[in-house]
Amino acid sequence: MQGLGHLSTRQVSSVIISSTIGVGILALPRLASQQANTGAPLVTFLGIVIVLFSLLLLALLGIRFPGENIFEYGQRIVGRPIATCSICS
């Protein structure tokens, strides 16, 4: 860390990338419901189910690998190159 009040290039890049992805993800449900027309409640329900399944999977992995974060146990599960590519995407 360079010092208080200063951001590194990596930190600024992370904020910009996270913000860009966040804006896209927040707009996705609206776009999906517009395309689905009367099926919008089904699209919303399926989205909730997918998110809950993902959260359950992450919680179970956190229990199985205590004291490790998602980056560490991701490398143990699928290997370093694949984990690095999937985390970066």
Side-chain angles (χ1 to χ4, degrees), residues 22-71:
V23 169
I25 289 174
L26 290 174
L28 186 61
R30 181 180 57 85
L31 297 173
S33 63
Q34 285 177 341
Q35 293 296 318
N37 291 328
T38 60
L42 179 61
V43 169
T44 304
F45 177 73
L46 289 175
I48 291 170
V49 169
I50 291 169
V51 168
L52 289 177
F53 177 74
S54 300
L55 288 174
L56 176 65
L57 180 65
L58 287 174
L60 292 174
L61 287 170
I63 292 169
R64 180 158 172 89
F65 300 101
E68 295 184 25
N69 59 35
I70 189 170
F71 304 108

Side-chain angles (χ1 to χ4, degrees), residues 13-31:
S13 299
S14 297
V15 169
I16 291 171
I17 292 169
S18 298
S19 299
T20 304
I21 292 171
V23 169
I25 289 174
L26 290 174
L28 186 61
R30 181 180 57 85
L31 297 173

Side-chain angles (χ1 to χ4, degrees), residues 1-17:
M1 189 164 159
Q2 296 174 346
L4 296 176
H6 297 283
L7 295 174
S8 70
T9 304
R10 180 173 277 174
Q11 290 171 326
V12 172
S13 299
S14 297
V15 169
I16 291 171
I17 292 169

